[in-house]
Structure formats: C-alpha cells, structure tokens
Amino acid sequence: MEEKVKISILNEYYGNLLTRKQCEFINDYYNNDLSLSEIAENNNITRQAVRDIIKKGEKKLFEYEEKLMFMKKTTNQEKRIEKAIKELTKIQKETTNKQIASKLENIKKEINNLV
C-alpha cells in the first residue's frame, strides 16, 4: 500500500488520539492536497513547524497501529470476506437448484453489507 494512502487511513482510525493540529495538518496535507507552505500560511506558522507537527503525528499514527493493529485486522477481514464471496459465487454458478442459488445470493448480499 502506498505510504500516503496508509497514513491517510491511519489518520481516519487514530486521528482522534492525536492533537487537534496534528490531525488537522495530516488531513490537509494527505487528503486535501495542501502543501506545507499553504498549511503554514493558513495557520500563521512556519513551514518547518507544519512539517514537524505532521512528522510527529505520523510517528504517533504508526505507533498506535503497531500496538492496536486496527488497519491490519480490517484489511485481513476484508480479504477473508472477498474470498468467501468468491467461493459463494463459484458454488452458485455450479448449482442447478434455483432455491439454493437464491439463498447463496442472499448470503452474498449480507456479507457485502458487512464491508
């Protein structure tokens, strides 16, 4: 996974555990595509201060993920769900019984709603 995407996702999971400025600056930088200079100008601070705040926030995000592993668990769960849906689709295509095919379709819909 690309580093920028990873940090953006981690900020979604753990952003509330950061300082308000760390969360806000990371969001502006990674999601709103603002430059360090733009963020600095908007907040009347130096570009270097913005960079330091973002770097400290990133470090915290990775520390939280290392300990709590929400992103890893979610990614693994999504992979397992995809695999289950593929298996259900395979069984559904191989069956000739319309009732079973219909029930399998309902199960697939319910699984998709979990994601």
Side-chain angles (χ1 to χ4, degrees), residues 81-91 108:
I81 288 171
E82 281 180 35
K83 185 178 178 183
I85 290 172
K86 285 180 185 177
E87 288 296 318
L88 288 171
T89 301
K90 182 180 173 186
I91 294 167
K108 282 174 32 181

Side-chain angles (χ1 to χ4, degrees), residues 22-36:
Q22 286 172 335
C23 182
E24 179 184 316
F25 289 2
I26 288 172
N27 186 56
D28 282 346
Y29 187 70
Y30 289 103
N31 296 333
N32 298 331
D33 204 29
L34 295 179
S35 69
L36 296 176

Side-chain angles (χ1 to χ4, degrees), residues 66-98:
E66 187 179 312
K67 289 180 173 86
L68 301 172
M69 297 188 295
F70 287 144
M71 187 169 76
K72 182 178 180 181
K73 290 175 186 175
T74 301
T75 302
N76 288 340
Q77 182 180 10
E78 287 172 356
K79 287 177 185 175
R80 290 179 23 225
I81 288 171
E82 281 180 35
K83 185 178 178 183
I85 290 172
K86 285 180 185 177
E87 288 296 318
L88 288 171
T89 301
K90 182 180 173 186
I91 294 167
Q92 189 178 21
K93 287 179 181 177
E94 293 171 355
T95 188
T96 56
N97 187 319
K98 295 219 185 260

Side-chain angles (χ1 to χ4, degrees), residues 4 7-8 10-11 17 27 33 36-37 41-43 56 58 65 67 77-78 80-81 88 90 95 108 110 113:
K4 287 183 173 188
I7 291 169
S8 181
L10 289 174
N11 196 43
L17 300 174
N27 186 56
D33 204 29
L36 296 176
S37 298
E41 189 177 314
N42 292 343
N43 290 276
K56 286 178 185 176
E58 289 173 0
E65 177 60 16
K67 289 180 173 86
Q77 182 180 10
E78 287 172 356
R80 290 179 23 225
I81 288 171
L88 288 171
K90 182 180 173 186
T95 188
K108 282 174 32 181
E110 287 297 319
N113 288 333

